[in-house]
Amino acid sequence: MIATIEKKLELDQSPNDVWRALTETSEVTSLYGDSAAYTPEAGGEGWFGWESNGRFAMKIEQFEPPNRLAWRWAREADKPLAESHSTLVEWVLLPREDGGTTLLLKESGFATEQSFRENTDGWKQELQHLVGFLNRA
């Protein structure tokens, strides 16, 4: 079995601010991808797009503002979403006593070691974008 990506960030912003950055389409495209379109609710479908990589179909599995978000997305660009050919990205936002947020990210369901490595490197960059975006907001 291929490993699961797990990341933890301590953020100064509130869970509501982090939630907005992770779920509002205009904010999401500032964080990762070049474009996105989806319905922000449990069962909502859509896609994330990168000019250099294509569009990746996605479906929101859990949508519990402002604490839990999970989506499944296709492993291959420009292909329909199928559970057997996708990974699951889970976000948990835990409020801290100081008003900040502990963010937990988990991605599972990798088919190959290469996909796991590529996404591990990708999340390092995307989480840096998230921190930078939140610090500017």
Side-chain angles (χ1 to χ4, degrees), residues 45-60:
E45 296 183 3
W47 50 268
F48 298 121
W50 285 262
E51 282 184 29
S52 59
N53 296 321
R55 287 184 179 180
F56 291 78
M58 60 85 74
K59 180 178 181 181
I60 297 176

Side-chain angles (χ1 to χ4, degrees), residues 34-104:
D34 302 312
S35 57
Y38 55 86
T39 305
E41 62 186 31
E45 296 183 3
W47 50 268
F48 298 121
W50 285 262
E51 282 184 29
S52 59
N53 296 321
R55 287 184 179 180
F56 291 78
M58 60 85 74
K59 180 178 181 181
I60 297 176
E61 302 281 328
Q62 292 181 317
F63 194 84
E64 301 169 16
N67 301 104
R68 186 165 181 75
L69 172 66
W71 74 68
R72 182 167 297 285
W73 64 335
R75 287 188 198 131
E76 294 181 56
D78 306 314
K79 303 280 185 189
L81 181 65
E83 191 167 330
S84 61
H85 292 86
S86 63
T87 59
L88 181 65
V89 177
E90 301 172 80
W91 304 86
V92 176
L93 285 64
L94 304 171
R96 295 191 327 227
E97 286 186 23
D98 66 359
T101 303
T102 298
L103 181 143
L104 305 172

Side-chain angles (χ1 to χ4, degrees), residues 2 15 24 28 31 37 41 54 57 62 65-68 71 73 76-77 90 100 107 118-119 122 127 133 136:
I2 310 240
E24 291 185 9
V28 166
L31 298 175
E41 62 186 31
Q62 292 181 317
N67 301 104
R68 186 165 181 75
W71 74 68
W73 64 335
E76 294 181 56
E90 301 172 80
E107 185 174 13
E118 288 172 355
N119 283 29
L127 292 175
F133 178 84
R136 286 189 306 269

